[in-house]
C-alpha cells in the first residue's frame, strides 16, 4: 500500500480556536469546499464570533476556491495574501485554512506546517460532532465522521453514525452494509445477519444472472451466520444460493467445514474427496478428510493416504503427510518411496518439506541412515540400492542426494561433514546456484558470517538478474557488517537516479532496514540503528493510515469479507515480526544508552591515549588520519548524491504539484541519539507498549519490560512483568536473572510507600516462599546443573549477589563437559563476551583457555578464532594496503 496509492491522512488545520478537517482525497476536499461555500464560515468554537467577509473580499475568497479546485495553486495563494494583508481579516480562519491547503499542495511544507497538526483523529471527531450541531442531517459530515470512527475503532459511535445514515438514505446500498458491518464488528452477529437479510430482500437479481457483487454479499452473509454459530442456517443458505455465488471453490470448502461442524460425516467425506480431485496437493483437504472419516488407528489413518496414492500416483502430499504420524519400519518404507521420487525428479526443496520431522531423534536417525545408503549405492552402481532391479539413475540424482545430506548435517550441527558434501556437489556441478547458497548457509550456522557472505556473493555472481539471490546476498553482507557493500548490491534493483537506501525506504523494504539496524547496532552506531528502527515504525503508521483507502472502496465494490479481514489484521498489525525485531533492537539500544551514556569524544580519546606507548600512539594517529580522510571522501560522495537526489525530487514536485502529503520530520541519527540521551527509557517505552498489548505470548516482551521498569524503579510494573513471564516459561535463564534482581531490589529499597511494600511482600512470598535471593539462586542452579545457559544465569547472579564469588562463578559458567546440555555457539559466545567484559572479574588466562576450548569445538566460528586471525586472513587474501600505508606514514 505505497507508491502511487497515497495513504489517506487526516489533518486538523488549527487557527486559534478554529478547526477545519483536511483530507487529501476527493470526497473530503468536496466536503471542505461544500462547508466553506454553503456557510461562508468554518466550524467555529462555541465562543468564537463568525467573521463575514465584505463583497470584495468574499469575491476574492470564491476565486481562491475555484483556483484550488482547478489546481491553480499559485494564483490561489496570491488571492489569499490579498485578503490576509488587510488587518481586519488577518486572522480570517477560512482564508488561513485555504492558505494552508494551497501551501501544502505547492510542496511548501515548512510554511504549511505552521498551520497544521497532523492526524489528530480524536480532535477531528470532536470537530465533526460540533459541525453536526449546526446541521445534524449533513450526509457528508456523517460519512466522514463514520470514516474517522471506524479508523479509531470507536465501534459504538460508528454504529450510531451508520444508523443515522441509514435513516437519511435507506435506498443506498452502502447505508445498509455499513450498519451491518458495525454490528458484525461489535460481535452482535445475529443482528448483523438480520440487517443483511433485510437488505438482500430488496435486491432484484435473476437466479441465473452472474453478479459478482451480489455473490460477495451472499458469501459475507454466510460468514456472519457461521461466526454467529448458526451452522445449520449457514448450510441451508449456502445450498439455496449456491447457483448465484461465483466463487465455487469457496462454496465447496465452506460446505465441507459446515458438514464437519454438524457431524454429517458421510456428506463431508464426499465433499473433501471432490476437493482432493480438484487439488491433490492441498494439505487442508487431507486433514478435512481425516476428520470426516475419523480413523481409529494409525493403520486406518495410513490407509486413507494409500488409497489417495493410487488415485494420484504423481501426488507428493499424500506421500509426505503420513511421515508425520508413522514410525519405525512403516516410516522407513514411506520415506524411502518419498525420497526416491524427489531425488529422481531433482526436487531442491525436499529437505525443507522434511524439516518439521527433525524434532524426533528416531526419525532423524532413519533419514540419515537411508540417505547415506543412497549416496553409497549411487556412487558404486548408480542405483538407490544394490538390490534394485530398476534402471540406472542419472548423474544428477547423486548431486541432489549430496545437496540433501549437506543440509541434513548442517541441521544436526555437524558443519564439517556438511561442508564435505556440499564441496563434493560443487566440484561435480560448479554452476548450480543452490549449492553456493547452501554453502553460505552452512558457514552462517557455523558462526562465520564473513565467509558466508563471500559464498553468497559467489552465488549471486552466477546470476546477477536473480533478485532473490541478490536480496539474500545483501542480507548476509549486512549480517557481516558490510553495510556499504549491501547497499551497492541492492542498488542493482532499485530505481535509477535515486539513492538505494532512500528508494528501499520508500518501498517499505523492511527486511533490509531491520538487518541494517542490527548491523549498525553491532558497530555501536546507535544513531544510524535508531534511524532504521524509526523508519520501520513509520511504515507501520503509514500502513495503519492506509486503511482510509478502503473504508469506502470496499463497501462500494462489495469486497466485504476481505474488508473485515483487513480491519482484523490492522488491529494486530504490530505483531508482525518486522515490527517486533525493530522494537526489540530499539529497546536494547535505549537500555544501552541509559546504562552507558555517551561521553565527550575528546575526553574519551585523552583517557585512551594516556595508556599507550609512543609506537602505539603513532599507529593510532595514523589510523585516525586514515579514518578522517575516508570520512571526508564519503561525506563528499554523500553530498554529491544528496544534491542529485534533491534535483530529482524538485523535478518530481514540479511534475506532480497536486500530490499532498503531511510533513514528516527528517530522521537524523545524531539528533535521535541526543534525544534518547535525555530520556532513553521513555523512548524505549514507546516501542514497548504495542508489544505488551499484542505480543504477550513471547517471554522476551515481558523480560524487556522488566529491564525498562527495573531502571525506572517501578516495582509494581516489574512484578507484573515477571508474573507474566513466569506464566510462559518459569525456568527461562533471563527470567531467573530478573527474579533475583527484583528480589534484591525490593529487599534493599527504603523509599517504597507502605501499601506498595505490603503488596510486594505478599507476592514475593508467593513467588519465592521463605527463601532469600542467594538460596533461591542456589536452588535454581541445583535444578538446572546440566544446562549451560542456566548455569551461566546462576553464575551471573552469584557475582551480582556476592562479588567475592567471581572465581567460582567463572568455573561454573565455563564448563564445557560432554554431559552438559544446550551447548550452542550463541551460548558459548555470550559466555566469552561475559569473561572479556569483566562480568566474572579479571580472568584473562581463563578467557583465553575458554576461547581455545570453544575453537576446538567450533573450528569455523569467528568469535573463537585466535587473536590476529582476521588480520592474517586479510594478508593471505592480498589485502595489505593498511600495513603498507602505516609503513609509509612512519617513514
Amino acid at each position: 500500500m505505497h507508491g502511487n496509492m497515497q495513504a489517506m491522512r487526516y489533518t486538523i488545520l488549527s487557527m486559534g480556536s478554529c478547526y477545519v478537517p483536511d483530507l487529501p482525497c476527493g470526497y473530503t476536499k468536496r466536503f471542505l469546499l461544500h462547508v466553506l461555500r454553503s456557510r461562508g464560515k468554518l466550524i467555529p468554537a462555541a465562543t468564537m464570533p463568525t467573521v463575514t467577509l465584505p463583497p470584495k473580499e468574499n469575491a476574492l475568497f470564491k476565486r481562491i476556491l475555484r483556483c484550488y479546485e482547478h489546481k491553480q495553486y499559485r494564483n490561489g495563494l496570491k488571492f489569499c495574501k490579498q485578503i490576509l494583508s488587510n488587518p481586519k481579516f488577518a486572522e480570517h480562519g477560512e482564508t488561513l485554512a485555504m492558505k494552508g491547503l494551497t501551501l501544502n499542495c505547492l510542496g511548501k511544507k515548512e510554511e504549511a506546517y505552521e498551520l497544521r497538526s497532523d492526524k489528530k483523529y480524536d480532535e477531528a471527531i470532536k470537530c465533526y460532532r460540533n459541525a453536526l450541531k449546526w446541521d445534524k442531517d449533513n450526509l457528508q459530515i456523517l460519512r466522514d465522521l463514520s470514516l474517522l470512527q471506524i479508523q479509531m475503532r470507536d465501534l459504538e459511535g460508528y454504529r450510531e453514525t451508520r444508523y443515522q445514515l441509514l435513516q437519511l438514505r435507506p435506498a443506498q446500498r452502502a447505508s445498509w452494509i455499513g450498519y451491518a458491518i458495525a454490528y458484525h464488528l461489535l460481535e452482535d452477529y445475529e443482528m448483523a445477519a438480520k440487517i443483511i437479510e433485510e437488505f438482500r430482500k430488496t435486491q432484484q437479481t435473476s437466479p441465473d444472472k452472474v453478479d459478482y457483487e451480489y455473490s460477495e454479499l451472499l458469501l459475507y452473509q454466510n460468514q456472519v451466520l457461521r461466526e454467529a454459530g448458526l451452522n445449520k442456517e449457514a448450510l441451508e443458505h449456502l445450498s439455496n444460493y449456491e447457483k448465484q455465488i461465483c466463487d465455487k471453490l469457496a462454496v465447496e470448502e465452506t460446505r465441507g467445514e459446515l458438514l464437519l461442524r454438524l457431524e454429517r460425516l458421510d456428506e463431508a467425506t464426499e465433499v473433501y474427496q471432490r476437493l482432493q480431485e480438484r487439488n491433490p496437493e492441498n494439505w487442508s483437504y487431507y486433514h478435512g478428510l481425516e476428520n470426516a472419516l475419523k480413523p481409529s488407528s494409525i493403520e486406518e489413518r495410513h490407509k486413507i493416504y494409500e488409497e489417495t496414492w493410487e488415485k494420484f500416483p504423481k501426488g507428493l502430499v499424500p506421500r509426505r503427510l503420513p511421515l508425520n504420524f508413522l514410525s519405525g519400519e512403516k516410516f522407513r518404507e514411506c520415506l524411502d518411496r518419498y525420497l526416491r521420487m524427489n531425488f529422481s525428479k531433482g526436487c531442491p526443496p525436499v529437505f525443507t518439506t522434511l524439516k518439521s520431522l527433525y524434532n524426533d531423534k528416531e526419525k532423524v536417525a532413519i533419514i540419515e541412515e537411508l540417505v547415506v545408503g543412497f549416496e553409497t549405492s549411487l556412487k558404486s552402481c548408480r542405483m538407490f540400492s544394490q538390490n534394485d532391479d530398476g534402471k540406472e539413475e542419472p548423474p544428477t540424482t547423486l548431486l541432489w542426494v549430496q545437496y540433501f545430506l549437506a543440509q541434513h548435517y548442517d541441521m544436526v550441527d555437524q558443519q564439517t561433514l556438511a561442508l564435505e558434501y556440499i564441496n563434493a556437489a560443487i566440484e561435480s556441478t560448479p554452476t548450480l546456484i543452490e549449492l553456493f547458497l547452501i554453502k553460505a548457509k552452512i558457514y552462517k550456522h557455523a558462526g562465520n558470517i564473513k565467509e558466508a557472505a563471500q559464498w553468497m556473493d559467489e552465488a549471486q555472481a552466477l546470476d546477477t538478474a536473480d533478485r532473490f539471490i541478490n536480496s539474500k546476498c545483501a542480507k548476509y553482507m549486512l549480517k557481516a557488517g558490510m553495510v556499504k557493500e549491501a547497499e551497492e548490491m541492492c542498488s542493482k534493483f532499485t530505481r535509477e537516479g535515486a539513492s538505494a537506501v532512500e528508494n528501499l525506504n520508500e518501498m517499505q523494504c523492511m527486511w533490509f532496514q531491520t538487518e541494517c539496524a542490527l548491523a549498525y547496532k553491532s558497530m555501536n552506531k546507535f544513531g544510524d540503528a535508531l534511524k532504521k528502527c524509526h523508519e520501520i515504525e513509520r511504515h507501520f503508521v503509514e500502513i495503519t493510515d492506509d486503511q482510509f483507502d478502503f473504508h469506502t472502496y470496499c463497501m462500494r465494490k462489495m469486497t466485504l469479507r476481505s474488508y473485515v479481514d483487513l480491519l482484523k489484521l490492522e488491529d494486530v498489525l504490530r505483531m508482525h515480526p518486522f515490527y517486533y525485531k525493530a522494537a526489540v533492537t530499539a529497546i536494547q539500544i535505549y537500555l544501552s544508552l541509559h546504562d552507558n551514556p555517551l561521553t565527550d569524544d575528546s575526553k574519551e580519546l585523552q583517557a585512551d591515549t594516556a595508556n599507550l606507548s609512543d609506537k602505539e600512539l603513532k599507529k593510532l594517529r595514523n589510523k585516525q588520519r586514515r579514518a578522517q580522510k575516508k570520512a571526508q571522501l564519503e561525506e563528499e560522495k554523500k553530498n554529491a548524491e544528496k544534491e542529485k537526489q534533491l534535483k530529482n525530487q524538485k523535478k518530481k514536485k514540479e511534475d506532480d504539484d497536486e500530490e499532498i502529503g503531511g510533513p514528516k520530520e527528517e530522521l537524523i541519527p545524531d539528533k535521535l541519539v541526543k534525544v534518547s540521551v535525555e530520556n532513553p527509557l521513555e523512548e524505549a517505552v514507546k516501542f514497548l507498549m504495542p508489544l505488551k498489548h499484542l505480543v504477550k505470548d513471547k517471554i522476551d516482551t515481558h523480560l524487556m519490560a522488566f529491564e525498562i521498569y527495573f531502571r525506572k524503579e517501578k516495582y509494581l510494573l516489574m512484578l507484573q512483568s515477571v508474573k507474566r513471564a513466569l506464566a510462559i516459561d518459569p525456568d527461562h535463564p533471563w527470567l531467573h536473572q530478573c527474579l533475583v534482581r527484583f528480589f534484591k531490589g525490593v529487599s534493599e529499597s527504603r523509599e517504597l510507600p507502605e501499601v506498595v511494600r505490603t503488596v510486594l511482600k505478599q507476592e514475593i512470598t508467593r513467588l519465592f516462599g521463605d527463601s532469600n535471593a542467594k538460596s533461591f539462586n542456589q536452588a535454581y542452579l541445583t535444578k538446572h546443573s546440566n544446562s549451560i545457559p542456566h548455569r551461566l544465569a546462576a553464575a551471573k547472579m552469584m557475582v551480582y549477589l556476592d562479588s567475592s564469588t567471581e572465581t567460582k562463578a567463572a568455573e561454573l559458567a565455563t564448563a564445557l563437559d560432554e554431559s552438559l546440555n544446550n551447548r550452542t555457539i550463541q551460548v558459548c559466545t555470550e559466555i566469552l563476551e561475559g569473561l572479556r567484559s569483566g562480568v566474572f572479574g579479571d580472568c584473562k588466562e581463563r578467557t583465553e583457555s575458554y576461547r581455545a576450548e570453544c575453537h576446538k569445538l567450533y573450528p569455523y566460528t569467528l568469535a573463537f578464532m585466535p587473536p590476529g586471525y582476521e588480520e592474517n586472513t586479510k594478508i593471505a587474501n592480498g589485502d595489505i594496503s593498511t600495513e603498507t600505508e602505516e609503513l609509509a606514514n612512519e617513514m
Side-chain angles (χ1 to χ4, degrees):
M1 288 178 271
H2 205 270
N4 292 332
M5 187 168 66
Q6 286 292 318
M8 296 188 182
R9 293 175 179 80
Y10 248 88
T11 306
I12 304 304
L13 295 164
S14 45
M15 300 58 136
S17 55
C18 231
Y19 296 92
V20 175
D22 159 40
L23 187 65
C25 56
Y27 54 80
T28 308
K29 286 181 188 170
R30 288 196 298 277
F31 161 58
L32 175 65
L33 299 173
H34 165 75
V35 172
L36 292 171
R37 280 205 188 101
S38 62
R39 305 193 196 303
K41 58 181 177 280
L42 287 177
I43 304 162
T47 55
M48 184 176 177
T50 303
V51 179
T52 307
L53 291 172
K56 183 186 171 186
E57 279 76 12
N58 198 36
L60 280 172
F61 187 77
K62 286 177 181 176
R63 290 180 76 179
I64 294 168
L65 295 179
R66 278 199 297 275
C67 289
Y68 184 83
E69 278 188 304
H70 296 114
K71 298 176 185 174
Q72 297 171 354
Y73 302 126
R74 285 181 177 80
N75 288 338
L77 195 60
K78 188 170 70 177
F79 297 135
C80 285
K81 284 176 183 175
Q82 284 181 34
I83 295 173
L84 296 169
S85 60
N86 187 332
K88 291 180 185 177
F89 312 114
E91 296 296 319
H92 186 245
E94 292 90 330
T95 311
L96 285 167
M98 291 311 302
K99 184 182 176 184
L101 281 171
T102 309
L103 284 168
N104 197 58
C105 293
L106 282 166
K108 297 182 180 179
K109 296 184 181 179
E110 292 79 8
E111 293 176 54
Y113 194 64
E114 291 172 14
L115 304 172
R116 297 164 58 104
S117 176
D118 284 347
K119 284 175 269 186
K120 291 186 178 177
Y121 299 120
D122 292 331
E123 289 291 325
I125 288 172
K126 286 177 190 173
C127 293
Y128 277 115
R129 290 197 183 282
N130 195 17
L132 287 170
K133 290 175 187 174
W134 291 74
D135 186 356
K136 65 177 181 179
D137 293 337
N138 187 304
L139 281 170
Q140 192 61 55
I141 295 175
L142 285 166
R143 283 189 194 118
D144 286 357
L145 175 59
S146 73
L147 287 179
L148 278 169
Q149 286 168 330
I150 190 65
Q151 181 75 5
M152 294 297 291
R153 301 297 188 272
D154 173 12
L155 298 178
E156 293 287 350
Y158 180 67
R159 180 177 61 183
E160 288 170 23
T161 308
R162 293 311 310 188
Y163 180 62
Q164 284 177 269
L165 283 164
L166 179 60
Q167 286 181 313
L168 291 168
R169 286 288 184 275
Q172 281 188 358
R173 182 169 70 179
S175 302
W176 287 89
I177 298 301
Y179 192 42
I181 284 174
Y183 275 102
H184 184 188
L185 295 173
L186 283 163
E187 297 183 6
D188 188 345
Y189 302 114
E190 290 189 29
M191 187 64 181
K194 283 177 188 173
I195 294 165
I196 297 167
E197 179 58 23
E198 286 303 313
F199 169 66
R200 192 201 59 73
K201 288 175 184 173
T202 65
Q203 300 298 293
Q204 295 175 351
T205 310
S206 168
D208 302 320
K209 188 183 173 186
V210 176
D211 183 340
Y212 175 77
E213 291 182 1
Y214 185 63
S215 163
E216 280 297 306
L217 175 68
L218 291 170
L219 283 170
Y220 176 64
Q221 185 179 13
N222 197 271
Q223 180 183 330
V224 173
L225 289 169
R226 294 198 310 276
E227 288 181 23
L230 303 169
N231 296 319
K232 191 177 177 184
E233 290 82 348
L235 188 60
E236 284 173 14
H237 175 270
L238 205 63
S239 303
N240 292 339
Y241 300 108
E242 183 179 348
K243 288 181 181 176
Q244 290 166 283
I245 296 174
C246 302
D247 191 344
K248 301 301 179 188
L249 179 62
V251 169
E252 282 292 277
E253 288 176 340
T254 307
R255 182 183 280 117
E257 183 190 323
L258 288 168
L259 288 167
L260 282 176
R261 287 187 195 176
L262 293 166
E263 296 288 317
R264 289 160 63 173
L265 303 180
D266 291 340
E267 292 169 74
T269 303
E270 288 174 19
V271 171
Y272 281 109
Q273 283 172 344
R274 286 201 300 271
L275 285 167
Q276 270 185 351
E277 285 169 13
R278 183 174 181 139
N279 180 7
E281 299 299 317
N282 190 319
W283 290 38
S284 64
Y285 299 162
Y286 292 89
H287 294 313
L289 188 61
E290 275 192 50
N291 292 332
L293 290 169
K294 290 194 180 297
S296 56
S297 64
I298 288 175
E299 286 74 20
E300 283 183 26
R301 195 177 175 189
H302 187 212
K303 194 179 176 185
I304 297 169
Y305 292 94
E306 282 181 331
E307 286 170 4
T308 317
W309 294 341
E310 291 168 15
K311 275 190 198 174
F312 313 109
K314 290 185 179 179
L316 290 173
V317 171
R319 293 179 185 275
R320 166 64 188 86
L321 287 179
L323 299 175
N324 292 337
F325 57 84
L326 291 175
S327 58
E329 281 305 309
K330 278 281 182 188
F331 174 78
R332 182 191 290 273
E333 188 185 317
C334 280
L335 180 67
D336 190 293
R337 279 188 297 207
Y338 180 72
L339 288 175
R340 286 183 189 222
M341 189 178 181
N342 281 286
F343 289 147
S344 294
K345 283 170 68 177
C347 184
V350 62
F351 177 79
T352 310
T353 66
L354 297 176
K355 232 177 182 180
S356 58
L357 303 176
Y358 275 68
N359 296 324
D360 188 326
K361 288 182 179 178
E362 186 193 337
K363 288 183 179 180
V364 173
I366 294 171
I367 291 169
E368 185 176 317
E369 187 187 329
L370 200 60
V371 184
V372 169
F374 287 165
E375 199 237 359
T376 309
S377 295
L378 285 165
K379 275 184 174 178
S380 62
C381 62
R382 289 182 63 177
M383 287 191 288
F384 285 113
S385 171
Q386 292 178 349
N387 302 325
D388 286 355
D389 299 327
K391 61 175 184 176
E392 290 186 352
E393 292 293 325
T396 52
T397 305
L398 177 61
L399 170 74
W400 293 116
V401 167
Q402 289 171 333
Y403 178 74
F404 181 95
L405 282 169
Q407 293 174 87
H408 165 79
Y409 283 115
D410 181 35
M411 186 77 177
V412 296
D413 290 329
Q414 293 186 37
Q415 274 80 26
T416 306
L417 268 173
L419 285 169
E420 281 178 23
Y421 280 107
I422 204 66
N423 286 335
I426 289 170
E427 198 177 328
S428 68
T429 315
T431 54
L432 188 63
I433 295 172
E434 283 84 352
L435 303 179
F436 292 93
L437 198 145
I438 291 300
K439 187 167 184 178
K441 203 175 275 189
I442 292 165
Y443 272 112
K444 183 185 84 167
H445 295 157
N448 194 335
I449 192 62
K450 292 198 173 176
E451 189 76 19
Q454 284 178 17
W455 283 106
M456 196 59 84
D457 193 20
E458 193 86 17
Q460 77 83 32
L462 291 171
D463 186 358
T464 53
D466 188 326
R467 189 166 189 160
F468 170 75
I469 300 292
N470 177 281
S471 300
K472 271 282 183 190
C473 185
K475 192 172 183 178
Y476 273 55
M477 284 175 166
L478 288 171
K479 285 181 185 293
M482 300 156 68
V483 180
K484 291 290 172 195
E485 291 86 342
E487 287 173 13
E488 285 169 22
M489 185 62 64
C490 286
S491 67
K492 294 175 185 178
F493 286 93
T494 54
R495 191 175 65 236
E496 281 185 36
S499 158
V501 176
E502 290 301 317
N503 190 226
L504 289 165
N505 181 41
E506 189 184 315
M507 293 192 297
Q508 298 183 338
C509 187
M510 287 187 260
W511 69 262
F512 180 83
Q513 291 170 313
T514 49
E515 291 299 336
C516 260
L518 290 167
Y520 283 128
K521 176 174 164 276
S522 65
M523 292 187 274
N524 291 330
K525 292 184 176 180
F526 293 145
D528 292 300
L530 286 173
K531 181 183 177 182
K532 294 297 171 193
C533 295
H534 281 278
E535 281 175 357
I536 292 164
E537 202 274 335
R538 279 187 177 181
H539 293 330
F540 280 87
V541 171
E542 284 175 18
I543 292 167
T544 303
D545 291 337
D546 280 347
Q547 289 176 87
F548 265 115
D549 287 318
F550 300 100
H551 295 317
T552 51
Y553 173 85
C554 290
M555 284 191 211
R556 195 169 71 248
K557 293 291 184 182
M558 294 297 284
T559 55
L560 304 175
R561 290 180 300 153
S562 301
Y563 176 57
V564 172
D565 287 345
L566 168 73
L567 295 179
K568 288 176 181 176
L569 169 69
E570 294 281 0
D571 289 342
V572 295
L573 189 64
R574 282 174 170 79
M575 281 178 72
H576 196 283
F578 282 145
Y579 183 82
Y580 186 79
K581 197 182 274 191
V584 168
T585 306
I587 290 167
Q588 287 170 347
I589 291 168
Y590 285 127
L591 290 174
S592 179
L593 288 170
H594 175 269
D595 296 344
N596 307 296
L598 295 178
T599 53
D600 186 28
D601 289 345
S602 57
K603 285 180 187 175
E604 218 172 77
L605 188 65
Q606 284 171 11
D608 287 345
T609 54
N611 303 319
L612 297 176
S613 65
D614 290 345
K615 192 176 179 182
E616 285 172 327
L617 190 62
K618 194 184 284 183
K619 199 172 181 181
L620 179 66
R621 298 287 182 213
N622 290 335
K623 195 174 181 182
Q624 286 170 349
R625 207 176 294 120
R626 280 198 310 279
Q628 197 175 349
K629 193 178 177 183
K630 190 179 177 184
Q632 196 176 338
L633 287 167
E634 278 181 11
E635 191 66 33
E636 286 172 11
K637 189 180 174 184
K638 202 183 276 182
N639 289 338
E641 201 173 277
K642 213 170 191 179
E643 201 174 318
K644 191 179 176 183
Q645 204 177 323
L646 285 168
K647 281 181 184 175
N648 289 332
Q649 285 175 356
K650 194 176 179 183
K651 191 183 176 190
K652 191 181 174 187
K653 277 180 187 172
E654 286 170 6
D655 293 342
D656 193 14
D657 238 1
E658 69 273 14
E659 187 178 339
I660 301 172
K664 286 184 185 177
E665 189 184 348
E666 191 183 349
L667 295 169
I668 301 162
D670 293 342
K671 193 176 175 184
L672 287 168
V673 172
K674 280 177 189 172
V675 169
S676 62
V677 164
E678 291 165 17
N679 206 339
L681 297 179
E682 287 304 319
E683 295 296 318
V685 167
K686 289 176 188 175
F687 278 96
L688 175 72
M689 293 317 290
L691 304 186
K692 279 186 76 175
H693 294 132
L694 297 172
V695 199
K696 297 174 184 175
D697 57 333
K698 283 193 178 180
I699 194 167
D700 285 17
T701 299
H702 307 299
L703 298 179
M704 281 187 295
F706 175 87
E707 294 294 349
I708 294 169
Y709 298 135
F710 182 77
R711 288 158 176 80
K712 288 172 75 111
E713 296 185 2
K714 304 276 187 185
Y715 286 96
L716 289 175
L717 287 169
M718 285 155 61
L719 175 65
Q720 180 197 66
S721 302
V722 293
K723 284 185 78 175
R724 287 177 178 177
L726 278 164
I728 298 169
D729 181 3
D731 294 325
H732 196 282
W734 185 6
L735 171 59
H736 172 70
Q737 294 175 62
C738 294
L739 286 166
V740 172
R741 286 155 61 206
F742 175 62
F743 203 159
K744 189 184 179 189
V746 172
S747 60
E748 290 179 357
S749 177
R750 297 285 173 266
E751 298 175 4
L752 285 172
E754 198 55 44
V755 181
V756 175
R757 189 179 292 282
T758 307
V759 171
L760 290 171
K761 275 186 178 178
Q762 287 175 356
E763 290 298 327
I764 283 173
T765 307
R766 203 174 294 168
L767 290 171
F768 305 108
D770 298 326
S771 64
N772 57 31
K774 279 188 178 180
S775 60
F776 177 74
N777 189 49
Q778 188 57 47
Y780 181 82
L781 178 59
T782 307
K783 185 180 177 182
H784 302 285
S785 58
N786 292 329
S787 172
I788 293 177
H790 294 82
R791 287 166 69 101
L792 172 63
K796 282 183 178 178
M797 290 303 98
M798 201 182 280
V799 176
Y800 177 74
L801 294 168
D802 183 0
S803 57
S804 65
T805 59
E806 283 175 350
T807 309
K808 187 183 175 184
E811 283 175 15
L812 192 68
T814 55
L816 287 168
D817 306 343
E818 285 293 326
S819 60
L820 297 176
N821 305 322
N822 303 317
R823 186 180 67 199
T824 63
I825 291 171
Q826 288 74 24
V827 172
C828 292
T829 306
E830 189 185 340
I831 293 168
L832 186 62
E833 284 171 1
L835 290 165
R836 284 174 176 162
S837 63
V839 170
F840 303 107
D842 187 12
C843 47
K844 287 181 181 175
E845 284 182 20
R846 186 182 293 278
T847 304
E848 180 51 32
S849 67
Y850 184 74
R851 184 208 59 74
E853 281 183 63
C854 289
H855 181 57
K856 286 177 187 173
L857 291 168
Y858 305 108
Y860 301 104
T861 307
L862 271 179
F864 308 136
M865 292 295 179
Y869 167 79
E870 288 191 44
E871 285 76 8
N872 295 337
T873 308
K874 280 182 185 177
I875 295 167
N877 292 335
D879 184 8
I880 55 169
S881 54
T882 310
E883 285 73 13
T884 310
E885 200 173 332
E886 278 179 18
L887 284 169
N889 287 330
E890 282 180 22
M891 286 168 72

